[in-house]
Amino acid sequence: MTIQACIFDLDGVICDTAHYHYLAWKQLADELGFEFTKEDNERLKGVSRMDSLDILLEIGQLTVDEETKLVFADRKNQVYVDFIRQIGPEEILDGIKPFLVALRARGIKIALGSVSKNAEMILNNLQLKSYFDVIIDGTKITNAKPDPEVFLRGAQELSVTPDACVVFEDAYSGIEAAIRAGMKCVGVGDPDILGRADKIISGFQDVKLSLLSEIEDVGRET
Ligand code: BG6
Ligand code: MG
């Protein structure tokens, strides 16, 4: 099937906000009095805010009621938003903008598929919003990755079938979501974590449109 659309995750693919998520969760863990490492943080990538909090509390071996969870999640988001409020186009990861421009020139549709509720603010600050035909974010979906909802919604709003889409993801849960959606997927980052992707790239610096034809031909074991 010819690729007709690209769906991009945001945090860790378009910009390095994954790092700010980590710093904000780490600050909450510090305040609650337990250690939270970068390795622990891998489990939170692509996972919704409340699901991330559950994992964090499990790591800290803390049990709290639902009301307290909301207070903790708000606190983390406050710290996170303080970081992202200040970001600008210089935070767009290398190669992303030329790739988006090339996709548009070729007539490939472009969607954002992020579970973040802060996605709109980030895209605005990066001045990238106009590159996306469709934006699906955490305010529009009910099931976070690895559920395929965010990507299926993207395909639906772009009016393309899932098998004509390729997803770009930096998170294990995101690769899983793309596979469940019946889409091709490109992992951006560590092959040890993203091993199930159809192809893995370290970043977008040298990525050409020929990548799309390469992955059109990849068969997947079921
Ligand atoms: C994802 C991140 O994009 O968004 C997760 O990978 C994050 O780490 C999730 O928890 C939700 O983000 P937010 O901005 O709504 O707290
Ligand atoms: Mg991500």
Side-chain angles (χ1 to χ4, degrees):
M1 169 64 82
T2 309
I3 298 296
Q4 295 163 23
C6 289
I7 306 182
F8 290 84
D9 173 48
L10 175 65
D11 296 316
V13 169
I14 288 178
C15 50
D16 199 11
T17 35
H19 182 62
Y20 297 131
H21 276 295
Y22 164 64
L23 293 178
W25 285 122
K26 186 165 168 36
Q27 171 144 349
L28 180 66
D30 284 349
E31 289 169 9
L32 296 175
F34 62 88
E35 205 193 336
F36 177 69
T37 66
K38 276 206 151 164
E39 288 68 48
D40 293 329
N41 187 59
E42 281 304 318
R43 294 176 61 197
L44 274 52
K45 284 188 179 173
V47 177
S48 72
R49 195 181 305 168
M50 294 312 288
D51 289 349
S52 295
L53 178 64
D54 282 338
I55 297 172
L56 188 95
L57 293 174
E58 181 199 308
I59 291 166
Q61 298 179 321
L62 288 182
T63 311
V64 297
D65 60 24
E66 292 305 311
E67 209 177 314
T68 311
K69 277 190 193 176
L70 289 177
V71 173
F72 288 171
D74 276 356
R75 171 70 187 136
K76 181 266 171 178
N77 195 51
Q78 236 174 38
V79 177
Y80 179 64
V81 168
D82 279 346
F83 284 123
I84 59 169
R85 220 194 296 277
Q86 310 183 26
I87 67 174
E90 67 285 352
E91 300 249 0
I92 300 170
L93 289 172
D94 282 352
I96 281 284
K97 212 159 167 185
F99 189 57
L100 293 175
V101 169
L103 289 173
R104 290 199 82 86
R106 177 69 70 86
I108 306 281
K109 295 177 178 176
I110 303 174
L112 188 86
S114 167
V115 302
S116 173
K117 294 187 166 137
N118 294 299
E120 193 111 8
M121 186 208 290
I122 294 171
L123 282 187
N124 276 328
N125 288 359
L126 298 177
Q127 296 171 22
L128 275 186
K129 213 167 154 191
S130 61
Y131 289 84
F132 292 86
D133 299 299
V134 156
I135 293 172
I136 309 296
D137 64 18
T139 64
K140 295 189 179 155
I141 51 143
T142 41
N143 304 301
K145 301 165 189 175
D147 190 284
E149 181 184 359
V150 63
F151 296 141
L152 290 173
R153 233 350 245 291
Q156 190 187 24
E157 292 202 14
L158 288 172
S159 303
V160 294
T161 55
D163 58 352
C165 296
V166 56
V167 166
F168 292 87
E169 255 297 344
D170 71 316
Y172 179 84
S173 61
I175 299 292
E176 182 67 28
I179 292 171
R180 288 197 207 166
M183 297 178 180
K184 299 280 187 186
C185 53
V186 174
V188 186
D190 186 345
D192 288 341
I193 295 164
L194 308 171
R196 295 191 70 205
D198 295 303
K199 187 168 174 75
I200 296 175
I201 57 175
S202 58
F204 285 83
Q205 304 88 330
D206 303 314
V207 170
K208 307 264 181 309
L209 280 185
S210 55
L211 174 74
L212 300 189
S213 34
E214 275 171 48
I215 64 166
E216 273 166 13
D217 301 329
V218 178
R220 180 181 290 134
E221 289 172 34
T222 46

